[in-house]
Amino acid sequence: TNATQFTDTTGAVVHAHGGGVIRVGSSYYWFGENRNADNTFKAVSVYRSTDLKTWEFRNDVLTQSSDSELAVANIERPKVIYNSTTGKFVMWMHKENGSDYTQARAAVAVSDTVDGDYTWQGSFRPPTGTTSRDMTLFKDDDGTAYQITSAAGNADLQIWRLNASYTGYDSLAANPWPGTFREAPALFKRGGVYFMLTSGNSGWSPNQQKYATATSITGPWTAMTEAGDATGYGSQTTFVLPVQGTSGTSYLYMGDRWGNSMGGTVNDSQYVWLPLTFPTNTTMNLPW
């Protein structure tokens, strides 16, 4: 049921805010933010499901005790991809100092197993020194991985190619919408077309979701086009999950209805999950 707090198999609230999903075998693993009462970082929690409905808590894969950098911090939008060359699961996230948003760094942690303890690799900014805040990861069909991040004080949404181990930056692949102030990116590929779904900058309050498309990840990209209603049905995009079925692939919009926008905290947040529809190969609808 949308606009509710989901619960796990024990009845506890699922804390996987700003999250992402990776499929391993027949199971989906949902990673996300789990916060302290003051909204600071408590853990990155992971849950497992085979049907996207029944979620089993697996582990707090990254915690305040994982590294001294995490003792007091903010960790947002953790995303995990698998590197088939190194055999490592690689997590990227947005890292702050726990008191404000001036650090604006990306951070990396790795694990040998999808839901095991992740080893902190450190935090850093992109090679140009620009800020990195809201972000996501995308692994292309050829195995190349990318970080998409709000940069330049959130004015730009940049697409960065990662190195071979996925643990650092290689080069800037594209900066298609400079000065447009988009955040909360989700990138997916359908029928050879790349779709980038984003929100505007309005703090914790929801706003108009927009998307753009390209046939190459380096561009040219289209301008941003509106999707859904004026507030994303009260939610902000965090991830689009391709769901491969027996007769095709569906695409699931995953959004957060932030507790902070309703007088609460991040751990009061609710989830909005919606099936995307595609009138044409390059257009997308976000229906309630």
Side-chain angles (χ1 to χ4, degrees), residues 82 89 100 148-149 157 194 218 226 288:
Y82 179 67
F89 292 90
D100 57 36
I148 300 89
T149 186
L157 193 64
Y194 298 87
T218 57
E226 294 183 353
W288 178 251

Side-chain angles (χ1 to χ4, degrees), residues 97-126:
N97 60 23
S99 60
D100 57 36
Y101 278 78
T102 59
Q103 221 177 15
R105 289 179 176 176
V108 176
V110 299
S111 176
D112 293 330
T113 56
V114 64
D115 55 0
D117 294 341
Y118 278 65
T119 303
W120 184 251
Q121 304 293 296
S123 68
F124 42 84
R125 284 189 174 183

